[in-house]
Amino acid sequence: MKELLIKTFDEIKEKNRDKSLDEILYEVYLRLKQENDRFDTFKALILEAKEIDVFEYYTKDVNPELKNYIIEKYFSEYDKNDKGHGLAHMFEVVRRSFSLNDTFKLGLDNNMMYLIATMHDVGKHIDSDNHAKVSADIFYQDDNFKRFFTDEERLIMKEAIEDHGHAKDEARSAYGRLVSSADRNTSIRVVFIRSFHVAHERTPNMNIEEYLDFTYKRLSKRYSEESPENMFYEDNTYQIFLQEMRELLNHEDEFKALYCEINNITDRENSIVADYPGELSYYRVLKK
């Protein structure tokens, strides 16, 4: 299977040199998927076979000095957030920002995209409800960033970070629309992992069965066709995720069983959220 994944990936990439990495992964998925394969799990197999580190793949042209400054000063702030908004989530927003920029040929600046994505949730642990503004202020008040950006660029980035927290409103720039779109989930597995870790912060004493009912209803509303998320740049990755999530939500028992399987929950009736650590492998990320 590994050899087939590599061969197919290389063939599609050779014929589609203008496509983004995510677009190529999607084409491989369409060609090789079996009936019950989900895109996010299939994509992981392809990346592993090709030995592609997506974070390094997309950020290779970011100013190394800027990268190192943010890593050394701000990455540790994400360890203070709930795990649903920690480093793993931030890395995913970076990856999605660069991917969407490639897919939609937006031509945005690498350094600005990187800063916005890495700083967008840096203040989540300070004020969860107003974290977008808090995060934007933390960035804007750091004069060291003046070494890398003009005043005009800094204002655009500040507004973009603020705007990512207003999903129903029009962002003020392409950068705001990009980070807002990149902040959307694109994996059922990640949705389930992140939501359970947020529950550890907010409802640790809730009975598991009660929590599953609550989560099923919440996600049914969030991903319904009647009230779709405000997705400015909707690519194939997001569309297939939405399709798979909506199909799963049509089967409540299957939804709950998969939720428990992913988060290693074994007793739904006699336990509470705090009894289970959840799936932790998602958070074992390197501080690049």
Side-chain angles (χ1 to χ4, degrees):
M1 182 61 174
K2 180 178 180 179
E3 291 75 13
L4 180 60
L5 289 172
I6 293 173
K7 180 182 177 182
T8 307
F9 179 94
D10 290 343
E11 287 178 355
I12 292 174
K13 184 177 181 181
E14 180 64 28
K15 294 177 181 178
N16 300 275
R17 291 183 173 274
D18 63 329
K19 288 193 173 182
S20 69
L21 175 60
D22 270 20
E23 289 178 292
I24 295 169
L25 292 170
Y26 182 69
E27 292 294 331
V28 177
Y29 165 74
L30 289 181
R31 186 179 296 186
L32 300 180
K33 72 182 181 77
Q34 301 298 311
E35 183 177 356
N36 295 319
D37 285 334
R38 286 201 170 95
F39 180 42
D40 59 332
T41 52
F42 197 91
K43 181 171 65 176
L45 293 175
I46 304 169
L47 292 171
E48 182 179 2
K50 285 293 297 178
E51 298 182 348
I52 295 174
D53 180 324
V54 290
F55 190 84
E56 291 297 336
Y57 178 95
Y58 279 121
T59 65
K60 61 183 181 297
D61 294 325
V62 174
N63 182 335
E65 189 178 353
L66 172 66
K67 246 186 182 180
N68 289 334
Y69 179 71
I70 294 175
I71 289 170
E72 291 172 6
K73 182 163 185 179
Y74 290 109
F75 272 28
S76 60
E77 293 300 302
Y78 278 89
D79 293 332
K80 301 174 186 177
N81 291 348
D82 66 81
K83 282 191 170 63
H85 296 88
L87 278 173
H89 168 64
M90 182 265 280
F91 284 175
E92 177 65 5
V93 174
V94 172
R95 186 192 71 78
R96 285 288 290 162
S97 294
F98 280 78
S99 174
L100 291 171
N101 181 60
D102 281 1
T103 296
F104 290 95
K105 309 295 187 290
L106 301 177
L108 300 183
D109 181 81
N110 287 330
N111 294 325
M112 292 174 69
M113 286 192 296
Y114 182 82
L115 183 139
I116 293 165
T118 53
M119 297 293 289
H120 84 283
D121 275 350
V122 76
K124 183 78 174 178
H125 63 94
I126 298 172
D127 186 342
S128 180
D129 292 336
N130 300 299
H131 74 279
K133 185 179 187 311
V134 172
S135 298
D137 289 344
I138 290 171
F139 152 67
Y140 203 63
Q141 291 165 12
D142 186 340
D143 288 342
N144 283 303
F145 285 121
K146 292 179 179 179
R147 294 187 288 134
F148 305 103
F149 303 104
T150 67
D151 289 345
E152 181 181 3
E153 289 170 335
R154 289 174 59 248
L155 180 59
I156 290 171
M157 291 185 289
K158 175 180 180 289
E159 291 177 347
I161 296 170
E162 289 175 346
D163 289 347
H164 96 271
H166 304 285
K168 297 297 182 184
D169 300 327
E170 180 69 21
R172 286 168 281 185
S173 70
Y175 289 97
R177 292 188 288 275
L178 180 68
V179 71
S180 179
S181 299
D183 200 29
R184 302 288 174 261
N185 289 304
T186 58
S187 162
I188 291 173
R189 178 175 178 271
V190 171
V191 171
F192 287 1
I193 292 171
R194 290 185 66 210
S195 69
F196 193 62
H197 283 283
V198 171
H200 272 251
E201 296 283 327
R202 299 181 181 176
T203 57
N205 297 314
M206 185 179 285
N207 172 268
I208 289 292
E209 197 64 62
E210 182 183 355
Y211 171 73
L212 290 171
D213 288 338
F214 166 79
T215 302
Y216 175 76
K217 292 174 183 175
R218 181 177 67 83
L219 294 182
S220 293
K221 180 178 180 180
R222 177 171 181 175
Y223 293 112
S224 72
E225 294 185 24
E226 289 72 32
S227 57
E229 295 182 299
N230 192 11
M231 185 71 170
F232 298 105
Y233 300 113
E234 188 169 317
D235 62 348
N236 288 328
T237 298
Y238 182 76
Q239 289 172 356
I240 193 69
F241 157 73
L242 206 56
Q243 177 185 330
E244 292 174 350
M245 176 62 88
R246 286 172 176 170
E247 174 61 27
L248 182 61
L249 287 165
N250 286 330
H251 306 280
E252 184 174 351
D253 290 343
E254 182 182 345
F255 173 96
K256 291 180 177 179
L258 181 60
Y259 195 100
C260 289
E261 177 185 337
I262 287 173
N263 285 296
N264 307 304
I265 297 168
T266 56
D267 185 350
R268 290 164 51 167
E269 295 183 3
N270 304 303
S271 57
I272 61 174
V273 169
D275 289 336
Y276 295 96
E279 174 54 42
L280 299 175
S281 61
Y282 173 66
Y283 301 103
R284 296 191 186 113
V285 294
L286 297 174
K287 297 186 178 182
K288 308 284 184 186

